[in-house]
Structures are given as structure tokens and as C-alpha cells.
Amino acid sequence: MGDCMKEILLVIPAYNEQDNILNVLKDIEDNLSNCDYLFVNDCSSDGTGKLLDEHNINHIDLPINLGLAGAVQAGYKYAYYHGYQAAIQFDGDGQHKAIYIHQMKQELDKGYDIVIGSRFVKQKKSLSLRMLGSRIISFLIKLKTGVTIKDPTSGMRLMNRKLIYDYAFNMNRKPEPDTLVYQIAKGAKIKEVQVEMNDRLYGSSIYHSTFNSVKYMINIMISIIFFN
Amino acid sequence: MSLQVQILLIIGSVLFFLFLVRNIKKSKLSIEMAVIWVLWGIGIIVISIFPQLVYKLTRMIGIQAPINTIFLIMIFLLYTLTFFLYIKISVLEDKTKSAIQEIALLRKELEDYAGKHRNSNLQ
């Protein structure tokens, strides 16, 4: 059980996640006491919105679908307006586990600006194509900033108040590796904490097709090399 | 430039200009956005009536056929115009996104407020 963590907001983007929401909520309530959370229903076409209403779960409904980055950003805007000291993206598909947030918060309290829930602090990356992509991005970040980020694609990032404003209002802040490069360049101190991630419980991820993966890699590489 | 190309250019550019003016009048295009098109339209009309201007420029920069100079100018203009369009779209996209996010946040405030109000009435 974590301490009272009123000052952290869990931003939980949810697009067509009706089968996962209650599990995610249970995970949060079991492992974090008194923690504020906000589900961001990204204009889901399934029963997500209804479920959130019926169970009186704290949430906002985007009137138009914005995609992951826009949904997360809306959550960060909420965190900014309500004066939270820190905010973390916590995926609504059950990938992230609430039990690690307490430990991440402790690192934030030590003076780090961003704490990443990382799959690869202690564990090695496998040799899959996906991990090759992760290695390339890590290498580029190292080259550009001199900082080693072992899991740059992890969306589970805890940020302190200093970074919330920029993240909530700037056009190009997404839960992607290039944003980390920008933040490092601006002087943010980053710490990684070993976490375990679940596979998705239900539904499917958007990065499944080869075309999307290639597009993703090209976008991120160009963004890191030229713009951040 | 051959006579055919010149006639084609004159007819095309005048028609284009009329089309442009009509659309601005029908409020399909803001005047601010239309300025670049008006200038462009005038430019093409001038070039098609006085192709000597293009001949001069062609000799100056050492291109062989004058038509290539026209292509060069056109492609360059289109290139820059497309880029500015991209910028415009990005900005628009960002503004729409922000507006949508704010609407969602405001709606929540409103619902929370209404909810509190309802509860206090019941008590």
C-alpha cells in the first residue's frame, strides 16, 4: 500500500477499453491508497463512456477523437488546472501496473523531474525487431543528449509540476521518445525505475502493422535528429 | 515561347483569375488567404501577355528554353505555397485539439458543479 498520494494525478487514456477499465481501476485501488486518477475517454465507440458514468469514475469525455497523444495531453491540462504536483500517464489497457507508482514517486521526491517506468533497467532487451527499434532510439538519444534511456518508448512517465505545463500546452509533446529528448535538452533530470508490464488484456494495439512500425521509427528518428 | 503556349497561358490565367474573384465574393476564401492567389494570378497574366520578361530572365540565368523558366518559377512557388499550407494546417490542428480538450474539461466542471448542486438540494 502506498502512502496518501493526493498530489499525483494518474492520467488514464482510454479508447474502446470497456473490458479493461474495471480491472485497471481495481489495480489502482488495491495498490495505491487515496490516489487521484482521471480517465480520458477518447470518444470511444464502445461502452467505455457509459461504464465510466455508471460507476461514477472520475473521467472526462473528449467530444471528438484525438488519438493517444491528444487524450494524454487533455489529462495533463486537467492536472495543470487542478494544481497537481505531479502527473503520470497510466495506460487504460492494463499494460501498466499501479504497484510501481509508489516507488516512482519516491524517486521524484529525490529531485528527479521525470521518472520512467522502464522494462529494461535490470532486464535485457530481447532480440525482436521491436527491441531493435528501441535500441536504435536509445542510441540516438545517447548520441544527442549523452543520457542513457533504457526504455525510451515506455509511456509510463511520472512528471513533476515544472514539466506539466509545457507537456499540457505545447503542440509537439507526445508520450514518445522525442519528447524525452526535448525535456532533457531543457535540463530535466531523468530516472528509470524497473517495472513489469502486462500484455494488453483485451483489444489491440495500434502499432501492429509493419507499415505503422516503419512510419513510427522514421517519425521518431527524424524528430530526434533534427528537431529536439 | 510558341504562340499556342502563349494563347493557352492568357486564356488559362484570365479564367483562373475570374474563378478566384468569384470564389472570394461567394465567401469561400478569406481575403487574407486570397492575397497570394491574386498576386499569383496577376503575375501569370503579365507573363502571358509580355513573354519578353521571361525571355530576358531565361537568358540571364542561362536556361535554354523559356518554358523551363516558367516551370521553374511555378514549381518554386507551388513548393513554398504547399509548405505554408502545411504550417497553416498544423496550427489549425493544434488549435482544434486544444479547443476539444478544453471543451471536455469544461463539460466535466459543469457536470461536477451540477452534481454538487443536486446533492445539496436533496439534503
Side-chain angles (χ1 to χ4, degrees):
Chain A
M1 279 287 191
D3 295 329
C4 171
M5 305 223 295
K6 269 290 180 204
E7 66 269 42
I8 293 188
L9 179 74
L10 271 68
V11 173
I12 311 164
Y15 177 65
N16 291 351
E17 300 285 5
Q18 59 176 7
D19 301 324
N20 293 321
I21 282 172
L22 293 179
N23 294 321
V24 171
L25 193 66
K26 187 169 181 313
D27 178 32
I28 293 170
E29 282 171 348
D30 286 353
N31 293 301
L32 295 165
S33 53
N34 271 329
C35 199
D36 284 357
Y37 56 82
L38 176 78
F39 279 83
V40 182
N41 172 22
D42 191 9
C43 204
S44 300
S45 52
D46 68 351
T48 300
K50 209 173 146 219
L51 193 81
L52 291 167
D53 275 337
E54 275 170 1
H55 288 76
N56 242 332
I57 300 167
N58 193 41
H59 73 284
I60 57 174
D61 296 295
L62 297 177
I64 294 168
N65 179 271
L66 288 181
L68 179 68
V72 172
Q73 221 183 17
Y76 271 76
K77 280 195 165 90
Y78 180 93
Y80 177 76
Y81 288 142
H82 287 78
Y84 284 93
Q85 292 308 306
I88 180 169
Q89 180 189 333
F90 192 79
D91 283 353
D93 56 9
Q95 274 196 64
H96 297 163
K97 291 180 176 173
I99 197 159
Y100 296 107
I101 293 179
H102 184 63
Q103 198 193 340
M104 291 173 73
K105 169 74 168 105
Q106 284 176 336
E107 293 297 331
L108 201 74
D109 289 340
K110 286 181 193 164
Y112 290 101
D113 299 302
I114 304 171
V115 181
I116 303 174
S118 166
R119 287 160 288 183
F120 310 116
V121 178
K122 291 168 194 149
Q123 281 165 26
K124 281 259 175 229
K125 290 176 190 176
S126 65
L127 286 171
S128 66
L129 213 56
R130 216 185 149 89
M131 287 306 113
L132 176 70
S134 176
R135 281 200 173 85
I136 293 171
I137 295 170
S138 283
F139 175 73
L140 282 176
I141 294 177
K142 175 91 185 168
L143 214 62
K144 190 85 190 239
T145 66
V147 177
T148 307
I149 307 283
K150 288 184 173 141
D151 193 357
T153 55
S154 166
M156 194 179 182
R157 296 177 194 165
L158 178 64
M159 274 174 236
N160 67 16
R161 178 128 188 109
K162 268 197 284 179
L163 294 169
I164 288 179
Y165 178 80
D166 173 67
Y167 197 86
F169 291 95
N170 193 298
M171 184 198 276
N172 288 318
R173 302 294 165 262
K174 294 177 177 162
E176 303 294 356
D178 49 341
T179 298
L180 284 176
V181 175
Y182 172 84
Q183 288 163 329
I184 294 168
K186 287 280 169 204
K189 281 187 289 176
I190 299 188
K191 171 81 180 177
E192 283 183 279
V193 168
Q194 176 70 44
V195 303
E196 211 178 295
M197 286 190 194
N198 293 326
D199 283 333
R200 297 176 55 88
L201 296 175
Y202 299 97
S204 65
S205 163
I206 48 165
Y207 292 126
H208 263 165
S209 78
T210 317
F211 176 75
N212 277 343
S213 306
V214 171
K215 196 174 129 194
Y216 175 83
M217 280 305 291
I218 291 173
N219 281 345
I220 294 296
M221 283 164 71
I222 288 181
S223 174
I224 290 177
I225 294 169
F226 293 105
F227 302 127
N228 283 294
Chain B
M1 200 179 336
S2 70
L3 191 66
Q4 288 98 315
V5 174
Q6 193 179 356
I7 292 169
L8 210 69
L9 261 178
I10 292 174
I11 296 173
S13 54
V14 169
L15 280 179
F16 168 73
F17 200 79
L18 292 176
F19 173 74
L20 193 75
V21 172
R22 207 174 71 122
N23 273 296
I24 297 170
K25 280 195 177 151
K26 276 163 73 184
S27 300
K28 280 185 182 168
L29 191 64
S30 76
I31 293 180
E32 212 177 301
M33 295 277 258
V35 167
I36 181 77
W37 288 101
V38 172
L39 291 178
W40 191 330
I42 293 172
I44 297 174
I45 292 175
V46 170
I47 284 177
S48 48
I49 297 173
F50 307 107
Q52 298 87 340
L53 294 170
V54 180
Y55 298 155
K56 232 182 198 164
L57 191 68
T58 306
R59 251 178 300 169
M60 259 171 61
I61 46 181
I63 295 176
Q64 298 213 326
I67 192 74
N68 285 338
T69 313
I70 291 181
F71 289 151
L72 188 71
I73 294 169
M74 285 298 183
I75 290 170
F76 175 74
L77 282 176
L78 282 174
Y79 208 79
T80 31
L81 200 65
T82 318
F83 185 70
F84 282 114
L85 266 183
Y86 264 68
I87 291 179
K88 204 105 195 171
I89 292 171
S90 287
V91 171
L92 274 178
E93 207 175 48
D94 191 52
K95 283 182 180 172
T96 321
K97 186 183 74 183
S98 299
I100 292 166
Q101 290 167 341
E102 294 292 344
I103 288 172
L105 291 169
L106 276 173
R107 202 178 269 174
K108 174 163 174 53
E109 297 277 308
L110 196 69
E111 273 164 16
D112 287 354
Y113 182 78
K116 258 185 222 152
H117 216 65
R118 214 174 297 127
N119 289 341
S120 62
N121 279 353
L122 286 174
Q123 277 162 10

